[in-house]
Amino acid sequence: MRISRALGSDGEVSHYHCISRCVGGAFLLGDVEKERLRNLIWSVSRFCGAEVITYCVMSNHFHLLVRFQPVPELAELGESEIIERVAALNGRAAAKGLEFVVKNLRDQGHEAAALEQLELARERMGKVSVLMQEIKQRFTRWYNKGHSRYGTLWADRFKSVLVENNPVALQVMAAYIDLNPVRAELVSEPESYRWCGYAEAMGGRVLARRGLALALCEEEERTSDWRRTQRAYRAWLYESGEQQGEGRDPVTGERARAGIDPGKVKEVLEANGQPSLAEVLRLRVRYLTDGYVIGSQGWVNAFWEEHREDFGERRKSGGRKLRGAAWQGLCSLRDLRVEVFG
């Protein structure tokens, strides 16, 4: 018997862990497909007003942990916000089209009809069913067109678990999702897997970092301080993902589930979750390609003094310390506050 989906109470913040699998368990998602699905997760979430805490796209299924806040009424949400969300979902042309329709109706004196057009878009926001439907249907159309196939791509309806709004429940769920590629033995460490929320946060995406902050702290303590979030979540993630046993159980014959090497877990915990410079350099570091000038603070400052006319009158100092790791005093002339990695 099909049980109705567990939904959060109206007017309250709700969190959902959603899972959808490819039809027949087929491994249909390669690197290109995973990248497309990753982009859809972000764009559809923007339209629905869902905050992505974390996600993971595997070869035959994907996980998504999202936070929904109550959708404001039309007057409070505002027309510009609705237009921006429509643009995130359907592109600027569609958003301009909606603007044109609304303006045209108003010019003809049909204010109620204009508001109805905006309300139709607003009514689809804040719903986990719409979020997953849009992601899956849009991806199916794209996939079928590119692979000359037709028909369903996903097995049955998606699964969802309603998660309490507290740090323990959210951290457990987030770690479970981000450790998927480690358990599947695709990577030895979660940040090495491109298509999960933790790796994207480590790669510098601001929205991915904010999402993990939602899982890490009590409501009143949530912060945009990535350094704090990174250390705390990394320690939690590695400790949760530690390899337990090896080989096969002598009684049941079951193979031990893959996990993170205990030595690596110990190393991360002893460093209070702070990644080493060697670990950071395994990622693509934009400082090393876009930093303009890299070196010690004294050397960078000397270069800046020599060329300060190139930087405008508002620039008062030269070297900017590199972010994201213990860079041993290295500085750059560019302060890459966003997308440092990736």
Side-chain angles (χ1 to χ4, degrees):
M1 181 179 70
R2 177 173 289 190
I3 301 174
S4 60
R5 203 177 299 284
L7 299 175
S9 301
D10 290 341
E12 295 183 1
V13 173
S14 300
H15 298 80
Y16 298 94
H17 172 210
C18 304
I19 315 103
S20 195
R21 300 184 181 278
C22 294
V23 64
F27 292 84
L28 301 177
L29 309 180
D31 290 358
V32 173
E33 291 76 21
K34 291 174 183 176
E35 188 67 15
R36 174 66 175 180
L37 190 52
R38 181 188 72 83
N39 287 327
L40 278 172
I41 285 172
W42 287 112
S43 61
V44 177
S45 296
R46 171 73 177 99
F47 169 78
C48 290
E51 296 174 279
V52 176
I53 293 176
T54 195
Y55 70 91
C56 186
V57 180
M58 301 292 283
S59 297
N60 66 347
H61 69 283
F62 71 95
H63 297 260
L64 178 58
L65 181 59
V66 290
R67 178 181 194 250
F68 282 98
Q69 297 197 58
V71 180
E73 294 299 321
L74 180 59
E76 184 181 351
L77 185 61
E79 291 183 23
S80 61
E81 175 63 15
I82 291 176
I83 297 298
E84 285 300 315
R85 292 192 186 190
V86 169
L89 183 66
N90 295 319
R92 284 290 168 188
K96 290 290 185 182
L98 177 59
E99 280 186 302
F100 176 81
V101 169
V102 170
K103 182 179 184 303
N104 192 44
L105 287 169
R106 282 186 170 138
D107 289 345
Q108 297 177 37
H110 303 308
E111 178 66 19
L115 294 177
E116 184 178 355
Q117 291 296 316
L118 295 166
E119 182 64 17
L120 287 173
R122 191 200 71 86
E123 285 180 346
R124 302 189 68 235
M125 300 173 187
K127 295 180 173 65
V128 67
S129 58
V130 172
L131 173 73
M132 292 297 288
Q133 180 187 60
E134 287 287 348
I135 291 172
K136 293 171 65 175
Q137 288 184 354
R138 287 168 182 269
F139 182 80
T140 296
R141 290 195 294 269
W142 174 86
Y143 186 95
N144 284 353
K145 182 178 180 180
H147 292 79
S148 300
R149 72 182 295 275
Y150 61 89
T152 185
L153 188 71
W154 304 102
D156 203 7
R157 64 174 183 168
F158 71 94
K159 295 181 180 180
S160 67
V161 177
L162 181 64
V163 184
E164 184 184 1
N165 184 21
N166 77 62
V168 174
L170 292 173
Q171 287 175 50
V172 166
M173 194 65 80
Y176 170 79
I177 292 170
D178 283 324
L179 287 169
N180 258 252
V182 175
R183 291 194 298 269
E185 300 184 73
L186 299 177
V187 293
S188 59
E189 297 159 12
E191 62 264 36
S192 299
Y193 189 72
R194 175 180 174 85
W195 301 281
C196 75
Y198 176 64
E200 193 161 2
M202 289 291 287
R205 188 176 184 117
V206 173
L207 289 177
R209 292 179 170 187
R210 289 176 182 168
L212 291 180
L214 293 176
L216 205 66
C217 307
E218 295 285 359
E219 189 82 26
E220 63 274 9
E221 297 175 350
R222 284 171 182 160
T223 175
S224 59
D225 184 355
W226 169 242
R227 289 175 295 179
R228 175 189 172 193
T229 301
Q230 173 186 260
R231 291 194 297 268
Y233 186 68
R234 181 175 172 83
W236 169 269
L237 189 61
Y238 270 68
E239 189 172 19
S240 302
E242 183 175 357
Q243 171 77 46
Q244 301 294 323
E246 57 185 20
R248 293 186 179 275
D249 187 287
V251 178
T252 65
E254 293 183 356
R255 184 181 178 186
R257 183 174 288 277
I260 303 172
D261 178 75
K264 181 62 180 180
V265 174
K266 180 181 179 182
E267 178 185 321
V268 168
L269 294 179
E270 288 178 346
N272 294 318
Q274 177 68 38
S276 69
L277 180 57
E279 289 169 324
V280 167
L281 288 175
R282 290 167 56 188
L283 306 171
R284 179 184 177 273
V285 185
R286 285 188 58 226
Y287 279 121
L288 305 184
T289 57
D290 303 331
Y292 191 59
V293 173
I294 299 287
S296 65
Q297 188 162 28
W299 187 81
V300 173
N301 284 340
F303 181 93
W304 176 75
E305 288 286 354
E306 185 176 349
H307 301 275
R308 63 184 309 162
E309 68 277 2
D310 297 333
F311 295 91
E313 295 181 358
R314 297 179 63 183
R315 183 74 177 261
K316 302 300 182 183
S317 59
R320 302 290 193 265
K321 291 184 178 180
L322 273 59
R323 302 168 182 265
W327 289 99
Q328 301 178 18
L330 288 179
C331 293
S332 166
L333 267 181
R334 286 183 177 161
D335 189 7
L336 304 178
R337 295 178 178 274
V338 179
E339 305 286 348
V340 172
F341 305 110

